[in-house]
Amino acid sequence: QNSLDGYFLILSTNVKRNDDGTLPPESVKLLDDVGQYSRLCHALYWASTAQRFQVLQTPMGLQRMESRGMMTKSQLKVLQSLDVSDDQLKLAPLEWMLIRPIQAMDQGIMAGDTATKGMCLKQMGKLRDSYMAIPNKLAGRMPLAYTHFVQILVDTFVLLTPIALYAELGTYSVFAVGIITLFYTGLLNLAKIFLDPLNNDNFCEEDANFMDLGVLIRESNGASTRWTRAGARLPFD
């Protein structure tokens, strides 16, 4: 999110402006194009990361996104013609986000000095690193066998606790067992959510609270337009 905000801040402050500080149509077109690439990239990125969104990167899902205005017909045709796997489709709009401003620099729509181009490349590199870090962390977690062992250990402990406590607590062991079950099973379910925050492996029950990717997508989509709107007019010449 921070890398994306920084990238759009650089773009919106270095595009060509009119004498009164407003944005000419070509600058607005540039910022709108890059924002649209960003929104498409995020949709395809989470489709490649979360199993419940994988349908978006299928041919039918791409056609549906095109019909909903998330991409143009030409972009759909390009994505369908690429010789990459479905989970790599997100890389195409990520590259478009950098190529389009570089073309605008050559056309005089955006400042094309070495410093500006270097900042764009650096910020895009940070954005790429952030994207790749999430799948790496998901792939580098603890072995699945250890999770199953902990599940068996907690279940055995909860089942044997009433027998162990009854000799000393008597009928009060019912309340003690209830408290122990609540805490141990609750902590175990919480640990499962941390282990699989996207619920790709169906570790927990369906009513568990997993990472709400819709919030992340909305925040990222907001970053694609907020800097353009905020800098549409300037209080000085």
Side-chain angles (χ1 to χ4, degrees):
Q1 182 68 39
N2 291 335
S3 301
L4 192 63
D5 272 328
Y7 186 67
F8 280 104
L9 174 61
I10 293 173
L11 296 184
S12 61
T13 54
N14 285 276
V15 293
K16 179 182 176 182
R17 292 182 178 271
N18 296 320
D19 294 336
D20 59 356
T22 58
L23 296 172
E26 59 268 22
S27 296
V28 175
K29 181 69 164 56
L30 167 64
L31 296 174
D32 288 345
D33 286 347
V34 179
Q36 187 263 325
Y37 301 155
S38 172
R39 294 188 291 273
L40 178 59
C41 179
H42 272 85
L44 293 176
Y45 173 78
W46 289 115
S48 67
T49 307
Q51 286 188 359
R52 61 182 183 273
F53 290 155
Q54 282 185 349
V55 66
L56 294 178
Q57 60 188 3
T58 62
M60 184 178 297
L62 294 175
Q63 293 175 3
R64 180 60 175 170
M65 286 196 291
E66 185 273 329
S67 67
R68 298 291 294 177
M70 291 191 64
M71 70 176 80
T72 63
K73 292 185 180 296
S74 61
Q75 292 169 1
L76 174 62
K77 184 179 297 185
V78 169
L79 291 177
Q80 291 176 335
S81 64
L82 293 177
D83 186 19
V84 296
S85 58
D86 291 345
D87 61 340
Q88 299 298 314
L89 289 175
K90 61 181 181 292
L91 300 180
L94 186 63
E95 291 187 42
W96 301 344
M97 290 174 61
L98 182 59
I99 295 174
R100 180 69 172 87
I102 292 178
Q103 290 180 343
M105 293 178 185
D106 297 335
Q107 298 168 356
I109 302 175
M110 182 175 173
D113 57 282
T114 304
T116 302
K117 185 176 293 186
M119 286 192 298
C120 289
L121 292 171
K122 180 179 180 180
Q123 205 67 30
M124 186 56 65
K126 292 172 60 178
L127 182 61
R128 179 264 172 200
D129 292 342
S130 300
Y131 278 159
M132 296 301 107
I134 295 177
N136 291 341
K137 290 182 179 180
L138 292 176
R141 63 189 184 187
M142 68 182 65
L144 187 61
Y146 178 79
T147 307
H148 290 168
F149 172 75
V150 174
Q151 175 75 65
I152 296 174
L153 186 65
V154 171
D155 291 344
T156 304
F157 175 76
V158 171
L159 289 174
L160 295 180
T161 296
I163 301 175
L165 292 180
Y166 184 79
E168 294 186 5
L169 300 181
T171 56
Y172 290 103
S173 63
V174 176
F175 302 100
V177 169
I179 295 175
I180 291 176
T181 303
L182 176 65
F183 278 94
Y184 273 87
T185 57
L187 289 175
L188 179 61
N189 289 333
L190 181 61
K192 290 179 181 179
I193 294 175
F194 285 142
L195 180 66
D196 185 27
L198 302 181
N199 196 28
N200 288 336
D201 296 323
N202 297 318
F203 277 155
C204 298
E205 292 78 7
E206 294 181 357
D207 59 347
N209 293 322
F210 299 99
M211 182 183 295
D212 190 352
L213 297 181
V215 175
L216 298 179
I217 294 175
R218 287 192 295 271
E219 290 180 353
S220 300
N221 290 347
S224 66
T225 58
R226 70 166 63 99
W227 295 104
T228 302
R229 297 195 304 268
R233 293 182 178 275
L234 300 178
F236 47 82
D237 297 332

